Amino acid sequence: IDLLKEYNEKTSARVEKLENQIDQYEDALGTYLVKLSERDLSVKDSRILSVLLHCIGDFERISDHAVNLKESAQEMQEKGLQMSFEGNSEIMFLRRAVTDLVNLTVQALRNNEKELAKEIEPLEEVIDDLSDELKRRHVIRLKEGRCTIEMGFVLTDMTTSLERIADHCSNIGVSILESSEEKRVLRTAVEGLCPRERLIVELRYGLGGGGEKTQKEVADLMGISQSYISRLEKRIMLRLRREISRQLCG
């Protein structure tokens, strides 16, 4: 995105290199997460895995659009195209808005912050409106002879790429919020367990506010064998998965 402000070959090459790395990471992570999903995971781990599987594809697409922006900036450089003062100011404003949205999205995902995730979609809608307004103003300048058709094509490509980046941020925000809804459903399902079963789940997965504990730690705290805890946990988690699936799917 910085290339829209000032183009240089070093940054352009870095964008290409990072995009190639992200493609490799997305492929490796996707393969690993799919294999991991076949394991007997806890409800919490399954929820995290689901969010990550949804998000890595969106991050990969964001990197693709970053390359598109790089190519637009490169085209301007090679053809000696210049934006009008107004057009440059407007695209820089849109650039800052998208940069802020990307930073917000990364922070919400990294910290699993539901409240931050709620801010993503409204900001994405603002960016859509800004993009539409930018295009409308460009048409006016074009009619007045203050901008060229060739520059208009480049400007359209830029705004489309920025919009698409915002769309993928919105997808990530939705994934985070859906995870939060699953967590709420999990709490509801856990409340339906008998007191002993509920205690085991709360201790194992830190649902009561404390940290997660191993089966041995739970067994020691409750004064029963670890093997018994293991058998109980498997039965409890099977029931929870069925109940969560029932509530989420209606």
Side-chain angles (χ1 to χ4, degrees), residues 12-236:
S12 177
R14 185 165 181 265
V15 170
E16 287 281 0
K17 181 179 179 181
L18 287 174
E19 195 274 334
N20 288 330
Q21 288 179 339
I22 289 170
D23 282 348
Q24 295 171 11
Y25 292 155
E26 192 264 346
D27 183 56
L29 278 170
T31 300
Y32 175 72
L33 291 173
V34 169
K35 289 181 178 179
L36 199 60
S37 68
E38 298 171 354
R39 299 293 186 91
D40 185 21
L41 302 175
S42 68
V43 174
K44 179 181 177 181
D45 287 341
S46 295
R47 188 172 64 245
I48 293 172
L49 186 143
S50 176
V51 173
L52 292 177
L53 274 171
H54 281 92
C55 291
I56 58 174
D58 284 299
F59 278 119
E60 191 275 330
R61 293 296 295 138
I62 287 173
S63 74
D64 289 342
H65 294 303
V67 170
N68 294 340
L69 288 170
K70 185 273 295 184
E71 291 172 348
S72 294
Q74 188 174 22
E75 182 179 357
M76 287 183 61
Q77 175 76 7
E78 292 173 350
K79 295 182 178 180
L81 299 175
Q82 293 288 331
M83 285 189 191
S84 64
F85 175 79
E86 297 94 332
N88 185 66
S89 297
E90 290 161 6
I91 199 72
M92 287 301 103
F93 187 82
L94 185 60
R95 162 190 166 274
R96 287 193 297 272
V98 173
T99 299
D100 289 344
L101 179 60
V102 170
N103 291 336
L104 176 69
T105 302
V106 170
Q107 183 179 348
L109 179 62
R110 178 186 291 129
N111 301 324
N112 194 29
E113 294 188 46
K114 180 180 177 182
E115 294 307 312
L116 275 184
K118 287 180 180 178
E119 298 177 18
I120 295 173
E121 181 63 24
L123 286 176
E124 188 272 333
E125 292 176 357
V126 168
I127 287 169
D128 281 347
D129 292 340
L130 286 173
S131 180
D132 290 342
E133 178 63 16
L134 190 152
K135 293 172 184 176
R136 186 188 70 81
R137 293 187 182 189
H138 167 71
V139 171
I140 293 173
R141 288 193 295 271
L142 190 62
K143 290 179 178 179
E144 295 175 349
R146 293 188 290 125
C147 194
T148 66
I149 293 176
E150 189 172 23
M151 187 64 245
F153 289 140
V154 177
L155 186 66
T156 298
D157 289 342
M158 286 181 175
T159 54
T160 299
S161 294
L162 289 168
E163 280 185 79
R164 295 293 178 267
I165 290 172
D167 289 342
H168 288 292
C169 287
S170 176
N171 292 343
I172 293 169
V174 168
S175 294
I176 297 169
L177 292 175
E178 286 179 346
S179 172
S180 297
E181 174 63 14
E182 290 173 2
K183 189 173 182 179
R184 181 194 66 77
V185 171
L186 171 61
R187 284 196 296 266
T188 301
V190 169
E191 288 171 1
L193 298 173
C194 72
R196 185 174 68 168
E197 291 175 339
R198 184 164 62 247
L199 178 60
I200 290 172
V201 174
E202 288 175 347
L203 289 173
R204 282 284 286 129
Y205 303 107
L207 299 182
E212 297 182 10
K213 298 187 184 302
T214 64
Q215 287 183 349
K216 184 178 186 308
E217 288 172 332
V218 174
D220 290 343
L221 283 170
M222 298 185 68
I224 53 182
S225 70
Q226 183 177 342
S227 60
Y228 186 49
I229 285 289
S230 178
R231 292 195 300 273
L232 277 176
E233 184 180 333
K234 287 179 181 178
R235 290 206 303 267
I236 293 167

